[in-house]
Amino acid sequence: MKLNYLKTLFVAILVIFATTTNAETYSGTCGDNVNWSLDTETWLLRITGTGEMKSSPWDSYKNDIKSVEIEEGVTSIGDNAFLGCELTSVTIPNSVTFIGNSAFEGCSGLTSITIPNSVTFIGDYAFSSCSRLTSITIPNSVTSIGDYTFNSCLGLTSITIPNSVTSIGDYTFNRCLGLTSVTIPNSVTSIGDYTFNRCLGLTSVTIPNSVTSIGDYAFLGCKLTSVTIPNSVTSIGNHAFSRCSRLTSVTIGSGVEDIGEEAFYNCRSLSSIYSLAEYPPFIYSNTFNNVDKTIPVYIPKGTREDYEFEWSDFTNFIESDFTGIEDSNISATEIKVIAGNGIDICNYYGKLQVINLAGQVLKDTYVNGSAQITLPKGAYIIVTENKSQKVVL
């Protein structure tokens, strides 16, 4: 009995000894004043010091690293820093101002990440192929988002882009299959090529009046049902809305001069087009390929002859008065009369009421970014969040 007890005790000591001796800590430098240490028992990578992270000497352990803690004082996350790591959590301090190219690319285990308000730039491919990432908030400090930044983040369902961002790069949200809606802030001036390409779940998008160009393939294959191109946009790229098979209505702003090749190719559900331009935007013979050319095309009064010549494939032009908005004290919402039979609400989230001049509430609804409301000719008051606007159809 005593012998068995001693044997058991000996084995236990050996196990404890083996466990203790197998746990190691690897460490080194990854910047002039920045150090790293990796605990092989917990596989926690800790980065400490002050200044920029300039290298990632832990590459040989990237398949084992489970979590990263970057301590206050470190000012940047270097290019390829955690490329392909099997991370489940990351802590980024307020001292970090720069996230480098491909910093977290391919971190397929990463489900939530908080970017601090100190970050001003997010590099190319920074979170590309983080397939389990479901949501991310970009802080107000960020001014630009690089190319491919969230490319193929298949699980990403929502994204908040702050008013500080002025440009969205090419392929930024390419193939984010789970993304359902996007609001682009008034600070953004351009939407790059392939930005929302094949975001197959995207059903609504708000494009602000600050945007002047929409890139090639920008929304190809999205499930958008209606699109309003603001008056600030001058060009719509090739294939920009190609294969948007659920698109039923598109409003083309008065400033659009050029619509690219196959921009609306195979938009087979398109049932109406509103073009506010006094002179027809230039289109190619294939711009509206596989679109019914007998659908109504609403155009400004006095422009039929030009449209019939420039857009000769279409056969059903209807001249309309797109003016009629007056007495406005709604600053953040764009309300536009559409072809004398309704109003188009853009860039608004919240409760909305339509009231006739007799005080009767005709419509009481919640708008999630954009909406089109059909109304008979007449005068109405549109009320949004204690503000009002008179609309005459």
Side-chain angles (χ1 to χ4, degrees), residues 313-343:
D313 286 347
F314 288 94
T315 61
N316 186 11
F317 293 102
I318 301 172
E319 291 188 342
S320 303
D321 185 356
F322 294 109
T323 63
I325 300 176
E326 55 183 323
D327 300 338
S328 172
N329 65 355
I330 300 177
S331 57
T333 307
E334 180 183 346
I335 296 180
K336 176 173 70 274
V337 174
I338 52 173
N341 50 352
I343 56 173

Side-chain angles (χ1 to χ4, degrees), residues 287-299:
T287 295
F288 290 95
N289 255 13
N290 281 8
V291 172
D292 181 4
K293 302 305 189 299
T294 66
I295 63 174
V297 179
Y298 298 96
I299 57 176

Side-chain angles (χ1 to χ4, degrees), residues 24-31 34-49 53 55-58 61 65-71 74 82:
E24 298 182 64
T25 299
Y26 301 109
S27 61
T29 61
C30 54
V34 181
N35 304 305
W36 67 278
S37 63
L38 178 62
D39 185 336
T40 61
E41 185 174 4
T42 61
W43 293 108
L44 167 64
L45 176 64
R46 182 174 282 111
I47 300 169
T48 61
M53 179 196 303
S55 61
S56 50
W58 47 81
Y61 309 108
I65 298 171
K66 301 302 179 188
S67 57
V68 172
E69 289 183 6
I70 304 171
E71 295 191 359
V74 177
F82 308 107

Side-chain angles (χ1 to χ4, degrees), residues 340-363:
N341 50 352
I343 56 173
D344 197 5
I345 311 294
C346 304
N347 194 31
Y348 176 68
Y349 292 80
K351 185 178 179 181
L352 179 141
Q353 288 184 324
V354 179
I355 304 172
N356 63 19
L357 296 186
Q360 181 184 7
V361 177
L362 304 178
K363 186 80 172 177

Side-chain angles (χ1 to χ4, degrees), residues 356-377:
N356 63 19
L357 296 186
Q360 181 184 7
V361 177
L362 304 178
K363 186 80 172 177
D364 191 348
T365 186
Y366 185 92
V367 177
N368 187 25
S370 63
Q372 288 186 347
I373 301 174
T374 301
L375 295 166
K377 289 185 178 182

